[in-house]
Amino acid sequence: MSENVIEARDIVVRFYVSAGLFRRKPFNAVDGVSLAIRKGSIVGLVGESGSGKTTFGKVTLDLLRPHKGDVLFRGKSIYNMTSQEYREYRINAQYIPQDPYASINMFRKVGEALLDIARYHKLDQRYGVDIMDIVRDIMIRVGLSPPEKYINKYPFQLSGGERQRLSIARALILRPAYVVADEPTTMLDASLKANIVKTIRDMVKEFGLSLLYITHEITLLQYFGPETEVAVMYLGKIVEKGTVKDILLDPIHPYTKALLAAIPVPDPKERYTRKVLLKGSIPSPLNRPSGCVLSDRCPFAEAICKKEPPQLKVVSPGREVACHLFS
Ligand SMILES: Nc1ncnc2c1ncn2[C@@H]1O[C@H](COP(=O)(O)OP(=O)(O)O)[C@@H](O)[C@H]1O
Ligand code: SF4
Ligand SMILES: [Mg+2]
């Protein structure tokens, strides 16, 4: 059995958008992305809105079929599984969405909603315990505690943070092997964000699951520890891979540097060294430049950047960068 719980290979997702009457123009929202997540480990996928993070995450959960590429779950292609294997994969691959409103039935009480999932998947038989104990246990773990306080509440009676805790409980009650958390704190106040990230982190450790944590806030990834792997995405491509520590303290790719320059830092010296400014704003993926995806905005762009897309290359152990300056 492979050590990678999930492995995405060279994923391309093509969408078509209307470009005038009767004309539809294709663009690659995800353009040749490969990423592997080992058992029990966390990978942060970071990038601005529109860079293709959600699209990629959904491909790994088979909520979206790619135009090209393969997804392996425990070493086996999800597109080539027996129905029994595929069922097992679907139970083991869960999604915590950005917007709990979109996925939660507002007219089903908290206890009922979790009980429905537990009953449907016969979790009492699987774990050999009372079904209500399973529901109470997950509620306590995600911080809907004491369970009696929440069990008879409707989702619309919960605060934003509590509702997000419910969507975490819904995903994790099945004890999946792999979870995609898609910007689960975006709709929350700053004071609640850290608490939700820590809840997810603690459950990942406790259950030994593998997590793809999608965010546009790179600093949130610090809660997962300095050695956590990060992939930085821009216009459908991964431009840099490294640990949280590498990326935050020593970003290499011009895009990563610019992303960090936008974050206020207290130390004035740091502020100076981080100062890489890009021209303009993130273009529509329809206007992706030829060659390097950053070539129309990068202050270091050379002639080759317009012509040839740089490939991700290992620049030091655990560190990959897609930039002609480093090839
Ligand atoms: N179903 C769709 N049809 C057409 N375009 C889409 C669809 N879903 C996403 N997109 C486009 O694909 C790009 C990537 O989107 P998305 O994966 O949601 O990015 P992110 O999660 O990083 O914000 C965006 O330009 C978005 O508008
Ligand atoms: S390849 Fe060229 S355009 Fe792209 S990031 Fe590197 S220097 Fe900038
Ligand atoms: Mg998204």
Side-chain angles (χ1 to χ4, degrees):
M1 194 180 283
S2 165
E3 217 219 321
N4 288 331
V5 169
I6 280 285
E7 189 182 341
R9 290 186 182 160
D10 203 17
I11 300 296
V12 175
V13 179
R14 188 164 299 164
F15 289 129
Y16 290 84
V17 288
S18 157
L21 211 56
F22 308 123
R23 273 190 61 222
R24 295 202 323 140
K25 212 176 157 194
F27 73 96
N28 290 351
V30 175
D31 196 27
V33 170
S34 298
L35 200 69
I37 308 180
R38 288 187 307 278
K39 188 175 180 326
S41 74
I42 298 170
V43 174
L45 184 60
V46 77
E48 289 166 284
S49 171
S51 53
K53 305 180 299 295
T54 295
T55 304
F56 175 76
K58 286 187 171 171
V59 167
T60 67
L61 296 170
D62 203 23
L63 299 175
L64 200 67
R65 284 281 157 118
H67 177 76
K68 185 173 161 265
D70 202 359
V71 176
L72 283 74
F73 174 66
R74 291 178 173 153
K76 178 132 208 207
S77 169
I78 62 169
Y79 307 122
N80 195 14
M81 285 180 160
T82 64
S83 53
Q84 173 60 29
E85 285 168 337
Y86 185 74
R87 239 191 333 267
E88 196 59 23
Y89 155 70
R90 283 307 292 259
I91 292 174
N92 270 295
Q94 294 292 322
Y95 189 47
I96 302 172
Q98 178 169 350
D99 176 9
Y101 278 102
S103 61
I104 289 175
N105 180 346
M106 285 295 151
F107 301 103
R108 202 97 181 109
K109 290 176 184 166
V110 170
E112 292 168 346
L114 294 171
L115 205 51
D116 288 346
I117 302 171
R119 282 211 187 100
Y120 182 81
H121 292 283
K122 300 190 173 69
L123 295 186
D124 49 343
Q125 289 173 26
R126 191 150 33 128
Y127 302 137
V129 287
D130 184 80
I131 205 150
M132 275 317 291
D133 286 343
I134 295 172
V135 169
R136 278 197 206 95
D137 176 71
I138 197 75
M139 289 179 70
I140 293 167
R141 285 173 193 270
V142 300
L144 292 173
S145 185
E148 287 64 37
K149 184 176 163 198
Y150 296 96
I151 221 153
N152 286 316
K153 282 195 175 171
Y154 288 98
F156 59 78
Q157 295 173 310
L158 302 176
S159 69
E162 288 164 350
R163 218 161 17 237
Q164 198 50 281
R165 288 179 190 280
L166 173 59
S167 66
I168 296 169
R170 279 164 42 104
L172 298 191
I173 194 171
L174 294 170
R175 301 276 181 113
Y178 170 60
V179 172
V180 176
D182 190 357
E183 313 224 28
T185 67
T186 302
M187 320 260 292
L188 304 177
D189 294 341
S191 58
L192 288 172
K193 284 179 198 261
N195 284 336
I196 294 284
V197 177
K198 284 180 193 162
T199 299
I200 294 175
R201 175 196 67 192
D202 294 346
M203 299 204 52
V204 165
K205 281 198 187 136
E206 212 171 316
F207 292 172
L209 46 95
S210 307
L211 175 73
L212 180 67
Y213 192 93
I214 294 175
T215 183
H216 66 275
E217 293 170 282
I218 199 165
T219 49
L220 275 184
L221 298 175
Q222 291 180 98
Y223 293 107
F224 294 124
E227 299 305 325
T228 304
E229 286 173 64
V230 181
V232 181
M233 207 166 167
Y234 178 73
L235 281 189
K237 289 207 181 272
I238 290 180
V239 295
E240 179 162 5
K241 280 182 182 172
T243 63
V244 166
K245 195 172 69 192
D246 290 339
I247 301 283
L248 284 178
L249 298 180
D250 178 28
I252 295 178
H253 195 282
Y255 175 70
T256 318
K257 288 190 177 192
L259 200 63
L260 284 163
I263 300 170
V265 283
D267 183 348
K269 270 186 277 159
E270 284 240 355
R271 222 177 288 152
Y272 177 75
T273 54
R274 283 178 172 186
K275 220 170 184 174
V276 168
L277 294 180
L278 301 177
K279 297 171 224 161
S281 52
I282 184 167
S284 147
L286 280 172
N287 300 323
R288 183 199 307 272
S290 55
C292 173
V293 272
L294 200 65
S295 58
D296 57 344
R297 302 180 66 199
C298 180
F300 311 109
E302 293 165 7
I304 187 177
C305 303
K306 291 258 176 232
K307 288 190 210 121
E308 276 179 40
Q311 303 300 314
L312 264 181
K313 289 211 176 109
V314 177
V315 291
S316 59
R319 203 80 199 271
E320 290 176 53
V321 177
C323 172
H324 289 304
L325 294 178
F326 302 93
S327 53

